[in-house]
Amino acid sequence: MEMTPVCTERIGTDGCIIGSDRGHRRSKVPRDVEIDIEFLYKVVPQLAKVFRIIDKIGEGTFSSVYLGEAQMRDGRREMFALKHLIPTSHPTRIAAELQCLTVAGGKENVMGVTYCFRKDDHVVIVMPYMEHRAIVEIIGSMSFEEVRLYIYHLLKALRHIHQFGIIHRDIKPNNFLYNRSSKMYALVDFGLAQGTADTQIELLKDLTGLRKVPRPVFGERNLNSCTPAPSTTKQAAIKTESGKTEEPASRRYPSASRGPLPVRSQSSSQKPQRAMQQGLTCNCYQTDRVCNICMSRKQQVAPRAGTPGFRAPEVLTKCPNQGTAIDVWSAGVILLSLLSGRYPFFKASDDLIALTQIMTIRGSRETIQAAKAFGKAVVCSRELPRQDLRTLCETLRGRRPSPDDEVTPLPEANKDSTATHRHEIQDNTPTHRPANGAGQTFPNHQEHSQTNELTKHDSESDYKAEEDERGWDRVPDEAYDLLDQLLDLNPATRITAAQALQHPLFTDL
């Protein structure tokens, strides 16, 4: 790709771009965005020779993304996405992300890289810009066929990167761009990527400790030592009645009616120590509490990168051996959201609550058995049955009545023990309906008058008619069979992306 310098704009004293070589004013952007653009031009001055930065279109923990326009050699003007990485990013991490984009990007629905600018510790990755809308804005109007194609293309992207030994680690709709009009897809953001044992991305070997001597990056030999990050699951210590200091996890959990189900995980290889220093004995094994003796053990270090709600069970329980299966689980959560019309589907404040929410869908006995398979022990205070995925999704879509006529997929028998979880689903994950039912949950019949009942009935009838037009009355069993295999609790038996593409749901594709 060849580009010519196009940006002859000058910045006024108020930070606004007041002119350009084309003699037109740019649409007004917020003052804070103008300041960010001015700063980016300052720290990476090379950008001004090529790009006219128009707007800030994304911001995350480790980077900000801007929309830039460049004039090509043939006179065309083309849009690009400029990803500015925060200066504190490790050089090896930056180089590894670039290598993922250059080696695996540009094909099979994986975003490629066009160019890269660097000035001191500021790095800007230039990628093609693809117009898209957030999944939360369109989930209520998506047809089943659209969902089927979306998941198919996501699995294609995963199969492609997994062939290179790349674990994306942050699969979610925000990182899988979708242009509805052009039917284009793009997997982006490899900032958290790691490599498998046989990865073809050389720099990922440095990040995962597969190479004893890290390779030089950007010529900065003194910045290439990779040390594992400390655990991010820190909790403030509290004082007990006896005056001793203990962690919150060492207290007995509240009753089920006041909070989430208690779940505890520990490595099965670390058997309870019956005799500790000064004659202390651990007595919390197979109970719903964690004692100070267990809390004093050295914390197990395992990768936990990713977005809450999309983390696989092996990530939530800190399993040290994590592979490409964690991306497949995240794809399963996305499919669950699309089939149920709920996004995000899971929303938890910490890993244990997230695991509890998974158990309410996949079953406590199945979760415990799967955890044991990858070396973890999970304890649940009561048994939760495994739910039928079709019943769950159709209930949340309003295609069949809920047991208590509220927004909850959980059986009546578990209503009290899982009240907190149901409350989170009802308050935080509303049904995204088009037209009359947009953003509303199914109301309780007892709270409305007879007139409102008739209105609601008509509204839901119209909604179901619209759903039928989009094919939600004809969802095949294959869709829920694939969902079941994507959400396999055991990563060893979970379907791979390559196997999923051969599923009967995609036969005609």
Side-chain angles (χ1 to χ4, degrees), residues 286-344:
Q286 293 291 324
T287 68
D288 60 351
R289 64 185 298 272
V290 182
C291 68
N292 286 335
I293 297 175
C294 290
M295 291 298 296
S296 66
R297 292 173 179 163
K298 185 177 180 180
Q299 199 167 47
Q300 188 176 40
V301 178
R304 291 186 63 258
T307 299
F310 296 91
R311 294 188 180 118
E314 61 267 32
V315 177
L316 298 174
T317 55
K318 295 185 180 181
C319 178
N321 301 319
Q322 299 174 17
T324 55
I326 68 173
D327 291 343
V328 175
W329 172 273
S330 300
V333 174
I334 294 175
L335 180 56
L336 179 60
S337 285
L338 297 178
L339 291 177
S340 65
R342 298 302 178 91
Y343 180 79

Side-chain angles (χ1 to χ4, degrees), residues 59-206:
E59 187 170 16
T61 306
F62 306 104
S63 63
S64 297
V65 183
Y66 298 84
L67 178 64
E69 182 186 54
Q71 182 175 343
M72 316 306 289
R73 292 288 185 184
D74 58 6
R76 291 181 300 107
R77 289 182 177 271
E78 197 167 321
M79 295 295 184
F80 294 88
L82 282 62
K83 181 177 181 179
H84 178 215
L85 304 178
I86 61 172
T88 55
S89 298
H90 197 286
T92 305
R93 167 56 63 191
I94 297 173
E97 180 176 0
L98 274 169
Q99 195 170 31
C100 289
L101 291 169
T102 54
V103 173
K107 60 183 71 173
E108 296 293 321
N109 303 321
V110 180
M111 180 63 74
V113 59
T114 303
Y115 205 73
C116 182
F117 292 86
R118 177 179 178 241
K119 174 68 175 178
D120 298 329
D121 55 352
H122 290 273
V123 175
V124 175
I125 301 176
V126 181
M127 297 167 285
Y129 172 70
M130 191 178 84
E131 190 174 353
H132 62 280
R133 293 179 63 187
I135 200 72
V136 69
E137 298 176 3
I138 64 175
I139 189 173
S141 61
M142 292 178 72
S143 66
F144 170 71
E145 179 61 20
E146 196 173 2
V147 167
R148 187 175 76 109
L149 290 173
Y150 182 95
I151 291 298
Y152 174 77
H153 286 285
L154 173 58
L155 291 170
K156 280 185 66 175
L158 293 183
R159 178 184 64 180
H160 181 65
I161 66 171
H162 292 170
Q163 288 173 345
F164 288 93
I166 300 173
I167 310 172
H168 187 280
R169 295 201 65 86
D170 198 18
I171 297 298
K172 57 184 178 180
N174 288 346
N175 286 338
F176 190 61
L177 310 184
Y178 171 41
N179 187 310
R180 295 185 87 181
S181 59
S182 63
K183 295 293 187 294
M184 294 180 62
Y185 309 83
L187 181 62
V188 300
D189 197 354
F190 288 79
L192 298 177
Q194 289 188 333
T196 60
D198 57 348
T199 180
Q200 299 178 37
I201 309 300
E202 291 296 321
L203 289 171
L204 289 182
K205 296 179 181 179
D206 296 340

Side-chain angles (χ1 to χ4, degrees), residues 171-395:
I171 297 298
K172 57 184 178 180
N174 288 346
N175 286 338
F176 190 61
L177 310 184
Y178 171 41
N179 187 310
R180 295 185 87 181
S181 59
S182 63
K183 295 293 187 294
M184 294 180 62
Y185 309 83
L187 181 62
V188 300
D189 197 354
F190 288 79
L192 298 177
Q194 289 188 333
T196 60
D198 57 348
T199 180
Q200 299 178 37
I201 309 300
E202 291 296 321
L203 289 171
L204 289 182
K205 296 179 181 179
D206 296 340
L207 294 172
T208 53
L210 299 176
R211 195 201 318 276
K212 295 182 179 179
V213 181
R215 296 160 57 93
V217 178
F218 301 140
E220 298 164 345
R221 289 174 296 177
N222 61 326
L223 295 178
N224 290 319
S225 59
C226 297
T227 56
S231 173
T232 57
T233 55
K234 295 181 178 179
Q235 294 178 309
I238 62 170
K239 290 289 185 179
T240 62
E241 295 179 359
S242 61
K244 297 181 180 180
T245 301
E246 67 175 9
E247 300 288 344
S250 65
R251 294 174 290 165
R252 186 169 296 277
Y253 287 87
S255 62
S257 61
R258 297 172 56 190
L261 296 173
V263 180
R264 180 175 67 88
S265 67
Q266 71 174 36
S267 173
S268 61
S269 61
Q270 296 177 345
K271 295 183 178 179
Q273 300 180 19
R274 297 300 179 185
M276 301 294 289
Q277 293 180 357
Q278 300 177 352
L280 296 178
T281 302
C282 169
N283 60 358
C284 72
Y285 184 68
Q286 293 291 324
T287 68
D288 60 351
R289 64 185 298 272
V290 182
C291 68
N292 286 335
I293 297 175
C294 290
M295 291 298 296
S296 66
R297 292 173 179 163
K298 185 177 180 180
Q299 199 167 47
Q300 188 176 40
V301 178
R304 291 186 63 258
T307 299
F310 296 91
R311 294 188 180 118
E314 61 267 32
V315 177
L316 298 174
T317 55
K318 295 185 180 181
C319 178
N321 301 319
Q322 299 174 17
T324 55
I326 68 173
D327 291 343
V328 175
W329 172 273
S330 300
V333 174
I334 294 175
L335 180 56
L336 179 60
S337 285
L338 297 178
L339 291 177
S340 65
R342 298 302 178 91
Y343 180 79
F345 192 92
F346 295 117
K347 190 172 183 179
S349 57
D350 59 57
D351 288 352
L352 294 185
I353 294 179
L355 188 60
T356 302
Q357 292 180 348
I358 291 174
M359 293 170 70
T360 63
I361 305 298
R362 305 301 283 158
S364 57
R365 182 180 303 176
E366 291 81 358
T367 305
I368 293 171
Q369 184 177 0
K372 185 177 181 181
F374 52 82
K376 294 291 180 176
V378 176
V379 179
C380 184
S381 60
R382 56 179 49 81
E383 184 174 341
L384 293 172
R386 180 172 180 159
Q387 297 194 51
D388 178 76
L389 294 174
R390 176 183 283 277
T391 302
L392 169 66
C393 293
E394 290 183 350
T395 299

